[in-house]
Short mmCIF file of all heavy atoms in Angstrom, two decimals:
data_model
loop_
_atom_site.label_atom_id
_atom_site.label_comp_id
_atom_site.label_asym_id
_atom_site.label_seq_id
_atom_site.Cartn_x
_atom_site.Cartn_y
_atom_site.Cartn_z
N MET E 1 0.84 -1.21 0.00
CA MET E 1 0.00 0.00 0.00
C MET E 1 0.87 1.26 0.00
O MET E 1 1.52 1.55 1.00
CB MET E 1 -0.87 0.01 1.27
CG MET E 1 -2.37 -0.23 1.04
SD MET E 1 -3.17 0.73 -0.22
CE MET E 1 -4.26 1.74 0.76
N PRO E 2 0.89 2.02 -1.09
CA PRO E 2 1.70 3.24 -1.11
C PRO E 2 1.09 4.29 -0.19
O PRO E 2 -0.13 4.40 -0.07
CB PRO E 2 1.64 3.69 -2.57
CG PRO E 2 0.52 2.94 -3.19
CD PRO E 2 0.15 1.79 -2.32
N GLU E 3 1.96 5.05 0.43
CA GLU E 3 1.49 6.12 1.31
C GLU E 3 1.27 7.39 0.50
O GLU E 3 1.86 7.56 -0.56
CB GLU E 3 2.53 6.39 2.40
CG GLU E 3 2.75 5.21 3.32
CD GLU E 3 1.54 4.90 4.17
OE1 GLU E 3 0.68 5.79 4.35
OE2 GLU E 3 1.46 3.77 4.68
N LYS E 4 0.45 8.25 1.01
CA LYS E 4 0.18 9.52 0.35
C LYS E 4 0.82 10.66 1.12
O LYS E 4 0.77 10.68 2.35
CB LYS E 4 -1.34 9.77 0.30
CG LYS E 4 -2.00 9.25 -0.93
CD LYS E 4 -3.42 9.76 -0.97
CE LYS E 4 -4.19 9.16 -2.13
NZ LYS E 4 -5.60 9.59 -2.11
N CYS E 5 1.37 11.59 0.36
CA CYS E 5 1.93 12.78 0.97
C CYS E 5 0.82 13.60 1.63
O CYS E 5 -0.19 13.87 1.01
CB CYS E 5 2.65 13.60 -0.08
SG CYS E 5 3.23 15.18 0.54
N THR E 6 1.03 13.97 2.89
CA THR E 6 0.01 14.74 3.61
C THR E 6 -0.15 16.14 3.03
O THR E 6 -1.23 16.72 3.09
CB THR E 6 0.40 14.84 5.10
OG1 THR E 6 0.73 13.54 5.56
CG2 THR E 6 -0.73 15.37 5.93
N SER E 7 0.92 16.68 2.46
CA SER E 7 0.85 18.05 1.94
C SER E 7 0.20 18.14 0.57
O SER E 7 -0.68 18.95 0.34
CB SER E 7 2.26 18.65 1.85
OG SER E 7 2.86 18.66 3.12
N CYS E 8 0.64 17.31 -0.38
CA CYS E 8 0.17 17.47 -1.75
C CYS E 8 -0.75 16.34 -2.21
O CYS E 8 -1.36 16.44 -3.25
CB CYS E 8 1.36 17.62 -2.70
SG CYS E 8 2.35 16.13 -2.85
N GLY E 9 -0.83 15.27 -1.44
CA GLY E 9 -1.73 14.18 -1.78
C GLY E 9 -1.17 13.20 -2.81
O GLY E 9 -1.84 12.25 -3.18
N ASN E 10 0.05 13.43 -3.28
CA ASN E 10 0.66 12.50 -4.23
C ASN E 10 1.07 11.20 -3.54
O ASN E 10 1.42 11.20 -2.37
CB ASN E 10 1.91 13.12 -4.85
CG ASN E 10 1.57 14.17 -5.90
OD1 ASN E 10 0.46 14.22 -6.40
ND2 ASN E 10 2.53 15.02 -6.22
N LEU E 11 1.02 10.14 -4.29
CA LEU E 11 1.51 8.87 -3.76
C LEU E 11 3.03 8.95 -3.63
O LEU E 11 3.70 9.55 -4.45
CB LEU E 11 1.13 7.72 -4.70
CG LEU E 11 -0.36 7.42 -4.81
CD1 LEU E 11 -0.59 6.27 -5.77
CD2 LEU E 11 -0.96 7.08 -3.45
N ILE E 12 3.53 8.32 -2.60
CA ILE E 12 4.96 8.36 -2.36
C ILE E 12 5.62 7.08 -2.86
O ILE E 12 5.25 5.98 -2.45
CB ILE E 12 5.24 8.57 -0.86
CG1 ILE E 12 4.78 9.98 -0.47
CG2 ILE E 12 6.71 8.37 -0.54
CD1 ILE E 12 4.81 10.27 1.00
N ALA E 13 6.57 7.25 -3.77
CA ALA E 13 7.28 6.11 -4.32
C ALA E 13 8.28 5.60 -3.28
O ALA E 13 8.83 6.38 -2.51
CB ALA E 13 7.99 6.51 -5.59
N PRO E 14 8.50 4.28 -3.27
CA PRO E 14 9.40 3.70 -2.26
C PRO E 14 10.82 4.24 -2.31
O PRO E 14 11.51 4.27 -1.29
CB PRO E 14 9.39 2.20 -2.59
CG PRO E 14 8.29 1.97 -3.54
CD PRO E 14 7.91 3.30 -4.15
N TYR E 15 11.25 4.65 -3.49
CA TYR E 15 12.63 5.12 -3.63
C TYR E 15 12.76 6.62 -3.34
O TYR E 15 13.84 7.17 -3.37
CB TYR E 15 13.16 4.83 -5.03
CG TYR E 15 12.23 5.31 -6.14
CD1 TYR E 15 12.23 6.65 -6.52
CD2 TYR E 15 11.35 4.42 -6.75
CE1 TYR E 15 11.36 7.10 -7.50
CE2 TYR E 15 10.48 4.87 -7.74
CZ TYR E 15 10.49 6.19 -8.11
OH TYR E 15 9.63 6.64 -9.06
N GLU E 16 11.64 7.27 -3.10
CA GLU E 16 11.69 8.70 -2.85
C GLU E 16 12.32 9.00 -1.49
O GLU E 16 12.24 8.21 -0.57
CB GLU E 16 10.27 9.25 -2.85
CG GLU E 16 10.03 10.28 -3.93
CD GLU E 16 8.62 10.82 -3.83
OE1 GLU E 16 8.41 11.73 -3.04
OE2 GLU E 16 7.75 10.30 -4.56
N ASP E 17 12.86 10.21 -1.39
CA ASP E 17 13.47 10.61 -0.14
C ASP E 17 12.41 11.28 0.74
O ASP E 17 12.51 12.44 1.10
CB ASP E 17 14.62 11.58 -0.45
CG ASP E 17 15.56 11.73 0.74
OD1 ASP E 17 15.46 10.92 1.67
OD2 ASP E 17 16.38 12.66 0.73
N ALA E 18 11.38 10.52 1.05
CA ALA E 18 10.26 11.06 1.82
C ALA E 18 10.49 10.83 3.31
O ALA E 18 11.28 9.99 3.71
CB ALA E 18 8.96 10.39 1.39
N VAL E 19 9.78 11.59 4.11
CA VAL E 19 9.86 11.38 5.56
C VAL E 19 8.46 11.17 6.12
O VAL E 19 7.47 11.62 5.54
CB VAL E 19 10.48 12.60 6.29
CG1 VAL E 19 11.97 12.69 6.01
CG2 VAL E 19 9.80 13.90 5.93
N HIS E 20 8.38 10.48 7.23
CA HIS E 20 7.11 10.39 7.94
C HIS E 20 7.39 10.52 9.43
O HIS E 20 8.44 10.15 9.91
CB HIS E 20 6.37 9.10 7.60
CG HIS E 20 7.11 7.86 7.98
ND1 HIS E 20 8.07 7.30 7.16
CD2 HIS E 20 7.03 7.08 9.07
CE1 HIS E 20 8.54 6.21 7.75
NE2 HIS E 20 7.94 6.06 8.91
N PHE E 21 6.41 11.09 10.09
CA PHE E 21 6.57 11.35 11.53
C PHE E 21 5.18 11.49 12.12
O PHE E 21 4.23 11.87 11.43
CB PHE E 21 7.39 12.63 11.73
CG PHE E 21 6.90 13.80 10.92
CD1 PHE E 21 5.95 14.67 11.44
CD2 PHE E 21 7.35 13.99 9.61
CE1 PHE E 21 5.48 15.72 10.68
CE2 PHE E 21 6.87 15.05 8.84
CZ PHE E 21 5.94 15.92 9.38
N PRO E 22 5.03 11.20 13.40
CA PRO E 22 3.73 11.39 14.02
C PRO E 22 3.41 12.88 14.16
O PRO E 22 4.32 13.69 14.31
CB PRO E 22 3.88 10.73 15.41
CG PRO E 22 5.32 10.50 15.61
CD PRO E 22 6.03 10.61 14.29
N CYS E 23 2.15 13.22 14.08
CA CYS E 23 1.73 14.60 14.22
C CYS E 23 2.29 15.20 15.51
O CYS E 23 2.13 14.62 16.57
CB CYS E 23 0.20 14.66 14.23
SG CYS E 23 -0.45 16.28 14.64
N PRO E 24 2.96 16.36 15.42
CA PRO E 24 3.56 16.96 16.61
C PRO E 24 2.52 17.45 17.62
O PRO E 24 2.84 17.68 18.78
CB PRO E 24 4.35 18.17 16.07
CG PRO E 24 4.29 18.09 14.59
CD PRO E 24 3.22 17.13 14.20
N SER E 25 1.31 17.58 17.17
CA SER E 25 0.27 18.08 18.07
C SER E 25 -0.49 16.94 18.76
O SER E 25 -0.50 16.84 19.98
CB SER E 25 -0.69 18.97 17.30
OG SER E 25 -1.75 19.40 18.11
N CYS E 26 -1.11 16.07 17.98
CA CYS E 26 -1.91 15.01 18.61
C CYS E 26 -1.17 13.69 18.71
O CYS E 26 -1.51 12.85 19.55
CB CYS E 26 -3.23 14.81 17.84
SG CYS E 26 -3.04 14.15 16.17
N GLY E 27 -0.15 13.49 17.89
CA GLY E 27 0.64 12.27 17.97
C GLY E 27 -0.07 11.02 17.47
O GLY E 27 0.49 9.93 17.52
N ASP E 28 -1.28 11.14 17.01
CA ASP E 28 -2.07 9.98 16.61
C ASP E 28 -1.98 9.66 15.14
O ASP E 28 -2.30 8.56 14.72
CB ASP E 28 -3.55 10.23 16.92
CG ASP E 28 -3.85 9.98 18.39
OD1 ASP E 28 -2.96 9.47 19.09
OD2 ASP E 28 -4.98 10.29 18.81
N VAL E 29 -1.60 10.65 14.34
CA VAL E 29 -1.61 10.48 12.90
C VAL E 29 -0.19 10.50 12.37
O VAL E 29 0.64 11.29 12.82
CB VAL E 29 -2.43 11.63 12.24
CG1 VAL E 29 -2.46 11.48 10.73
CG2 VAL E 29 -3.85 11.63 12.80
N LEU E 30 0.09 9.59 11.47
CA LEU E 30 1.40 9.57 10.84
C LEU E 30 1.33 10.47 9.61
O LEU E 30 0.55 10.23 8.70
CB LEU E 30 1.72 8.13 10.44
CG LEU E 30 3.21 7.78 10.32
CD1 LEU E 30 3.98 8.12 11.58
CD2 LEU E 30 3.35 6.30 10.00
N LEU E 31 2.14 11.52 9.63
CA LEU E 31 2.15 12.47 8.52
C LEU E 31 3.29 12.12 7.58
O LEU E 31 4.38 11.78 8.02
CB LEU E 31 2.34 13.89 9.06
CG LEU E 31 1.26 14.36 10.05
CD1 LEU E 31 1.68 15.67 10.70
CD2 LEU E 31 -0.08 14.51 9.36
N TRP E 32 3.01 12.22 6.29
CA TRP E 32 4.00 11.90 5.27
C TRP E 32 4.33 13.13 4.45
O TRP E 32 3.44 13.92 4.13
CB TRP E 32 3.45 10.81 4.33
CG TRP E 32 3.49 9.46 4.95
CD1 TRP E 32 2.58 8.95 5.84
CD2 TRP E 32 4.48 8.45 4.74
NE1 TRP E 32 2.96 7.68 6.19
CE2 TRP E 32 4.12 7.34 5.53
CE3 TRP E 32 5.64 8.38 3.96
CZ2 TRP E 32 4.87 6.17 5.56
CZ3 TRP E 32 6.39 7.22 3.99
CH2 TRP E 32 6.01 6.13 4.79
N ARG E 33 5.58 13.27 4.13
CA ARG E 33 5.99 14.36 3.24
C ARG E 33 6.84 13.79 2.13
O ARG E 33 7.85 13.14 2.39
CB ARG E 33 6.81 15.40 3.98
CG ARG E 33 6.01 16.13 5.01
CD ARG E 33 6.83 17.23 5.60
NE ARG E 33 6.53 18.49 4.94
CZ ARG E 33 7.26 19.58 5.09
NH1 ARG E 33 8.33 19.55 5.82
NH2 ARG E 33 6.90 20.69 4.49
N CYS E 34 6.44 14.08 0.92
CA CYS E 34 7.21 13.59 -0.21
C CYS E 34 8.47 14.45 -0.39
O CYS E 34 8.62 15.49 0.25
CB CYS E 34 6.36 13.59 -1.48
SG CYS E 34 5.99 15.22 -2.12
N GLU E 35 9.32 13.99 -1.26
CA GLU E 35 10.60 14.68 -1.49
C GLU E 35 10.37 16.14 -1.92
O GLU E 35 11.03 17.05 -1.45
CB GLU E 35 11.34 13.90 -2.58
CG GLU E 35 12.81 14.25 -2.67
CD GLU E 35 13.51 13.37 -3.70
OE1 GLU E 35 12.98 12.29 -4.04
OE2 GLU E 35 14.58 13.78 -4.15
N ALA E 36 9.43 16.35 -2.84
CA ALA E 36 9.17 17.70 -3.34
C ALA E 36 8.67 18.62 -2.22
O ALA E 36 9.11 19.76 -2.11
CB ALA E 36 8.15 17.66 -4.47
N CYS E 37 7.77 18.13 -1.39
CA CYS E 37 7.24 18.96 -0.32
C CYS E 37 8.30 19.27 0.73
O CYS E 37 8.29 20.33 1.34
CB CYS E 37 6.02 18.31 0.31
SG CYS E 37 4.60 18.33 -0.79
N ARG E 38 9.20 18.35 0.96
CA ARG E 38 10.31 18.62 1.86
C ARG E 38 11.18 19.73 1.29
O ARG E 38 11.58 20.66 1.98
CB ARG E 38 11.19 17.38 2.02
CG ARG E 38 10.66 16.38 2.99
CD ARG E 38 11.65 15.23 3.12
NE ARG E 38 12.93 15.69 3.62
CZ ARG E 38 14.09 15.07 3.40
NH1 ARG E 38 14.13 13.99 2.68
NH2 ARG E 38 15.19 15.54 3.91
N ARG E 39 11.47 19.60 0.02
CA ARG E 39 12.38 20.54 -0.63
C ARG E 39 11.80 21.95 -0.64
O ARG E 39 12.49 22.92 -0.44
CB ARG E 39 12.65 20.05 -2.06
CG ARG E 39 13.86 20.69 -2.68
CD ARG E 39 14.29 19.93 -3.92
NE ARG E 39 14.75 18.59 -3.63
CZ ARG E 39 14.81 17.61 -4.54
NH1 ARG E 39 14.42 17.82 -5.78
NH2 ARG E 39 15.25 16.43 -4.22
N PHE E 40 10.50 22.04 -0.91
CA PHE E 40 9.87 23.36 -0.98
C PHE E 40 9.25 23.78 0.35
O PHE E 40 8.60 24.81 0.44
CB PHE E 40 8.83 23.38 -2.09
CG PHE E 40 9.42 23.14 -3.45
CD1 PHE E 40 9.10 22.00 -4.16
CD2 PHE E 40 10.32 24.05 -3.99
CE1 PHE E 40 9.66 21.75 -5.42
CE2 PHE E 40 10.89 23.81 -5.24
CZ PHE E 40 10.55 22.66 -5.95
N ALA E 41 9.46 22.97 1.37
CA ALA E 41 8.93 23.26 2.71
C ALA E 41 7.46 23.65 2.69
O ALA E 41 7.03 24.62 3.29
CB ALA E 41 9.77 24.34 3.39
N ARG E 42 6.69 22.85 1.99
CA ARG E 42 5.25 23.08 1.93
C ARG E 42 4.61 22.78 3.29
O ARG E 42 5.06 21.88 4.00
CB ARG E 42 4.61 22.18 0.89
CG ARG E 42 4.80 22.70 -0.51
CD ARG E 42 4.00 21.86 -1.51
NE ARG E 42 4.43 22.21 -2.86
CZ ARG E 42 4.71 21.32 -3.81
NH1 ARG E 42 4.60 20.03 -3.57
NH2 ARG E 42 5.10 21.71 -4.99
N ALA E 43 3.55 23.51 3.58
CA ALA E 43 2.83 23.26 4.82
C ALA E 43 2.06 21.95 4.75
O ALA E 43 1.64 21.53 3.68
CB ALA E 43 1.89 24.41 5.11
N TYR E 44 1.91 21.31 5.88
CA TYR E 44 1.06 20.11 5.95
C TYR E 44 0.00 20.41 6.99
O TYR E 44 0.18 21.28 7.83
CB TYR E 44 1.87 18.88 6.35
CG TYR E 44 2.65 19.05 7.64
CD1 TYR E 44 2.04 18.85 8.88
CD2 TYR E 44 3.99 19.42 7.61
CE1 TYR E 44 2.75 19.00 10.06
CE2 TYR E 44 4.71 19.59 8.78
CZ TYR E 44 4.09 19.37 10.01
OH TYR E 44 4.79 19.54 11.17
N HIS E 45 -1.08 19.70 6.92
CA HIS E 45 -1.95 19.79 8.08
C HIS E 45 -2.57 18.46 8.44
O HIS E 45 -2.89 17.65 7.60
CB HIS E 45 -2.90 20.98 8.01
CG HIS E 45 -4.24 20.69 7.41
ND1 HIS E 45 -4.54 21.02 6.12
CD2 HIS E 45 -5.34 20.13 7.93
CE1 HIS E 45 -5.78 20.67 5.88
NE2 HIS E 45 -6.30 20.12 6.95
N CYS E 46 -2.65 18.27 9.73
CA CYS E 46 -3.08 16.99 10.28
C CYS E 46 -4.57 16.82 10.04
O CYS E 46 -5.36 17.70 10.36
CB CYS E 46 -2.77 16.97 11.78
SG CYS E 46 -3.45 15.52 12.60
N PRO E 47 -4.97 15.69 9.46
CA PRO E 47 -6.40 15.48 9.19
C PRO E 47 -7.21 15.28 10.47
O PRO E 47 -8.42 15.43 10.47
CB PRO E 47 -6.42 14.19 8.34
CG PRO E 47 -5.09 13.55 8.54
CD PRO E 47 -4.12 14.61 8.98
N LYS E 48 -6.54 14.98 11.55
CA LYS E 48 -7.28 14.71 12.78
C LYS E 48 -7.47 15.97 13.65
O LYS E 48 -8.56 16.28 14.05
CB LYS E 48 -6.57 13.63 13.59
CG LYS E 48 -7.33 13.28 14.84
CD LYS E 48 -6.78 12.05 15.51
CE LYS E 48 -7.53 11.85 16.84
NZ LYS E 48 -7.09 10.65 17.52
N CYS E 49 -6.35 16.67 13.93
CA CYS E 49 -6.46 17.80 14.85
C CYS E 49 -6.30 19.14 14.15
O CYS E 49 -6.33 20.18 14.79
CB CYS E 49 -5.43 17.67 15.97
SG CYS E 49 -3.74 17.85 15.39
N ASN E 50 -6.10 19.10 12.83
CA ASN E 50 -5.94 20.33 12.04
C ASN E 50 -4.68 21.13 12.35
O ASN E 50 -4.60 22.30 11.99
CB ASN E 50 -7.17 21.23 12.15
CG ASN E 50 -8.30 20.72 11.29
OD1 ASN E 50 -8.07 20.14 10.23
ND2 ASN E 50 -9.53 20.89 11.74
N PHE E 51 -3.74 20.52 13.01
CA PHE E 51 -2.47 21.18 13.25
C PHE E 51 -1.80 21.50 11.92
O PHE E 51 -1.79 20.66 11.01
CB PHE E 51 -1.57 20.27 14.08
CG PHE E 51 -0.17 20.79 14.26
CD1 PHE E 51 0.11 21.73 15.24
CD2 PHE E 51 0.87 20.33 13.45
CE1 PHE E 51 1.40 22.21 15.40
CE2 PHE E 51 2.16 20.81 13.62
CZ PHE E 51 2.43 21.76 14.59
N GLU E 52 -1.30 22.72 11.79
CA GLU E 52 -0.57 23.07 10.58
C GLU E 52 0.87 23.36 10.91
O GLU E 52 1.16 24.02 11.91
CB GLU E 52 -1.19 24.32 9.94
CG GLU E 52 -2.35 23.96 9.03
CD GLU E 52 -2.75 25.12 8.17
OE1 GLU E 52 -1.92 25.62 7.40
OE2 GLU E 52 -3.93 25.53 8.27
N GLY E 53 1.76 22.85 10.11
CA GLY E 53 3.17 23.05 10.41
C GLY E 53 4.05 23.07 9.18
O GLY E 53 3.61 22.68 8.10
N PRO E 54 5.24 23.55 9.34
CA PRO E 54 6.21 23.61 8.27
C PRO E 54 6.92 22.25 8.10
O PRO E 54 6.95 21.48 9.04
CB PRO E 54 7.20 24.66 8.72
CG PRO E 54 7.09 24.71 10.22
CD PRO E 54 5.77 24.11 10.59
ZN1 ZN B 1 4.07 16.16 -1.29
ZN1 ZN B 2 -2.73 15.88 14.76
#
């Protein structure tokens, strides 16, 4: 099951330099950032608690 980038909604390829981490606010949701979103420092927001972060 490919993961989706939390910021842009693109599927994340296994070879991509993506990161994932638990939401810094609620800790319940695993947030994913694809390589492009990391590079451009796009904002993400948590689908559960609506936390927005860089
Ligand atoms: Zn992305
Ligand atoms: Zn959250």
Side-chain angles (χ1 to χ4, degrees):
M1 251 311 247
E3 297 292 340
K4 269 190 185 176
C5 174
T6 311
S7 301
C8 67
N10 284 342
L11 294 179
I12 292 172
Y15 51 81
E16 242 182 84
D17 197 13
V19 288
H20 61 276
F21 49 90
C23 171
S25 176
C26 67
D28 280 351
V29 180
L30 205 54
L31 301 170
W32 284 81
R33 294 186 97 192
C34 71
E35 196 176 340
C37 289
R38 279 183 62 205
R39 197 165 294 160
F40 298 114
R42 281 187 192 133
Y44 54 83
H45 92 259
C46 173
K48 182 170 175 178
C49 68
N50 282 327
F51 174 82
E52 274 193 59

